[in-house]
Amino acid sequence: MLIKRPSDIPPSEITPRELFDNRRRFIRDAGLLTVAGLTGLGGLNANAFAATSGQSLGPLLASPFSTDEEQTDLKSVTSYNNFYEFGTDKTDPLANAHKMQVRPWTVSVEGLAGKPRTFDIDDLIKLAPLEERIYRLRCVEAWSMVVPWVGFPLAALLKEVDPLGSAKYVEFVTHYDPEIMLRRPVIDWPYTEGLRMDEAMHPLTLLSFGLYGEVLPNQNGAPVRLVVPWKYGFKSIKSLVTIRLVENEPATAWNKAAPQEYGFYSNVNPEVSHPRWSQATERRIGELRRRPTLMFNGYADQVASLYQGMDLKKHY
Ligand SMILES: Nc1nc2c(c(=O)[nH]1)N[C@H]1C(S)=C(S)[C@@H](COP(=O)(O)O)O[C@H]1N2
Ligand SMILES: [Mo]
């Protein structure tokens, strides 16, 4: 049963601060990531889902891919955002993204597939057990966060549609509604992104439905977004409506907007400078001192082999 709340209440007001804080303390103290959801609003079955941001996602698997670095506080994660459809300031998404209706919602998985299919979001979320994965997100603007994302590998969804051998890349498209989103063409709307097939199938590539054990807030890309932790944040496309298996490298929104600045691969790489700034260091939200940026955002052991023999200065 979905309980709808007025869409103009920001999630920060729906769930009392104490609830978040207590739950986080409980999770940390008990080390019980797998029961994170049980401490929340209670009574929900595994993968039970509601469209309301702030609602518990139920029991979650702990992921061996998680980092044990200190997590960025929930308030920063949900109030300092990039979601240009809702404005270009960091505070705009929180102020405006509540206008987006995230139910009903479908995701079409199409293109070079044996069994292309349109998924209702509430069916999509049941395809695989939900995991909590604490991943770093590193923005090209040189700030970073550590977020407990909830989701499952994108590979679990792609396998459902039987990709054809000719599918070499995956193109992703964000919902676009000019009635509630920016019309000014900062980006050639809709926002699009892309991954090579092996990147899309990599177990680190996450389809995320939530954070901190709860339904993804709209400003973070509800009802479903990508998290690709070894790439700059703009690859982690929000509010997905289309996933298309294609033969050729797809055009991507930021590459079209500024090709000298944003390439297709966009792997976090401290050795390759952005034309207007160094990429060697970053500021973790909540910290004062900058820290050195790690190759592949610290995920080199898992992903460096994908790029063997490639010149990453050329393929930035
Ligand atoms: N559709 C869409 N997806 C997007 C963006 C955007 O503007 N539109 N911004 C990207 C950028 S630049 C970053 S850093 C991350 C930010 O995710 P967060 O706000 O959840 O931290 O989302 C990415 N996904
Ligand atoms: Mo970003």
Side-chain angles (χ1 to χ4, degrees):
M1 183 63 206
L2 301 185
I3 299 160
K4 271 233 157 107
R5 289 196 174 85
S7 60
D8 56 356
I9 302 176
S12 53
E13 285 172 28
I14 293 172
T15 308
R17 282 293 317 167
E18 304 82 66
L19 190 62
F20 285 131
D21 291 343
N22 286 340
R23 175 156 341 128
R24 289 183 58 197
R25 206 169 304 125
F26 174 83
I27 293 166
R28 228 190 340 259
D29 291 349
L32 289 173
L33 290 174
T34 49
V35 297
L38 295 175
T39 65
L41 301 168
L44 293 175
N45 297 322
N47 288 5
F49 189 68
T52 313
S53 86
Q55 184 144 2
S56 168
L57 282 163
L60 305 170
L61 300 176
S63 169
F65 292 112
S66 289
T67 172
D68 55 11
E69 285 168 77
E70 191 182 341
Q71 294 166 31
T72 304
D73 72 284
L74 176 68
K75 191 155 188 164
S76 304
V77 172
T78 56
S79 62
Y80 187 86
N81 298 102
N82 269 343
F83 199 164
Y84 271 28
E85 286 85 338
F86 291 107
T88 54
D89 289 343
K90 300 287 172 255
T91 51
D92 285 341
L94 173 62
N96 300 318
H98 63 85
K99 295 171 195 156
M100 179 170 60
Q101 296 282 347
V102 297
R103 290 295 185 289
W105 190 282
T106 58
V107 179
S108 165
V109 189
E110 56 189 51
L112 302 171
K115 295 190 292 182
R117 197 177 137 191
T118 297
F119 293 83
D120 184 83
I121 186 68
D122 295 306
D123 296 329
L124 178 57
I125 199 171
K126 291 179 198 128
L127 286 179
L130 291 181
E131 296 173 38
E132 175 158 81
R133 294 184 168 201
I134 304 158
Y135 276 176
R136 292 173 284 265
L137 181 117
R138 203 287 194 185
C139 181
V140 72
E141 295 163 290
W143 47 266
S144 64
M145 311 199 238
V146 176
V147 181
W149 304 101
V150 179
F152 57 68
L154 173 66
L157 171 62
L158 295 181
K159 280 173 194 152
E160 288 287 314
V161 302
D162 278 355
L164 302 181
S166 52
K168 304 293 185 211
Y169 293 87
V170 187
E171 181 181 19
F172 304 89
V173 186
T174 294
H175 171 62
Y176 180 64
D177 178 358
E179 295 296 318
I180 56 163
M181 290 171 167
L182 220 63
R183 294 169 195 231
R184 194 156 49 90
V186 205
I187 289 286
D188 179 12
W189 312 114
Y191 193 106
T192 62
E193 256 307 332
L195 293 173
R196 214 171 56 192
M197 195 64 185
D198 56 347
E199 299 176 322
M201 294 299 285
H202 194 281
L204 280 180
T205 301
L206 194 72
L207 213 46
S208 173
F209 307 92
L211 44 81
Y212 278 101
E214 295 168 351
V215 172
L216 204 58
N218 282 10
Q219 64 271 25
N220 292 91
V224 59
R225 56 99 50 91
L226 219 57
V227 185
V228 192
W230 72 94
K231 293 178 179 278
Y232 291 115
F234 63 87
K235 301 295 284 185
S236 292
I237 183 172
K238 295 178 168 181
S239 303
L240 282 168
V241 288
T242 306
I243 297 176
R244 193 175 292 125
L245 296 156
V246 295
E247 187 162 359
N248 299 310
E249 188 182 287
T252 60
W254 281 106
N255 181 251
K256 278 196 279 181
Q260 306 320 314
E261 305 192 11
Y262 311 105
F264 177 80
Y265 282 93
S266 301
N267 293 313
V268 173
N269 188 342
E271 289 157 27
V272 175
S273 297
H274 183 281
R276 290 183 282 136
W277 55 77
S278 159
Q279 300 275 35
T281 64
E282 67 198 59
R283 192 177 67 83
R284 183 69 50 85
I285 299 293
E287 293 179 355
L288 291 176
R289 210 173 329 120
R290 298 177 73 86
R291 36 167 95 214
T293 287
L294 302 175
M295 189 65 199
F296 297 113
N297 205 21
Y299 297 94
D301 286 350
Q302 291 95 334
V303 300
S305 61
L306 296 176
Y307 309 102
Q308 241 163 30
M310 279 178 70
D311 179 353
L312 295 179
K313 288 201 161 64
K314 195 168 151 233
H315 298 284
Y316 56 92

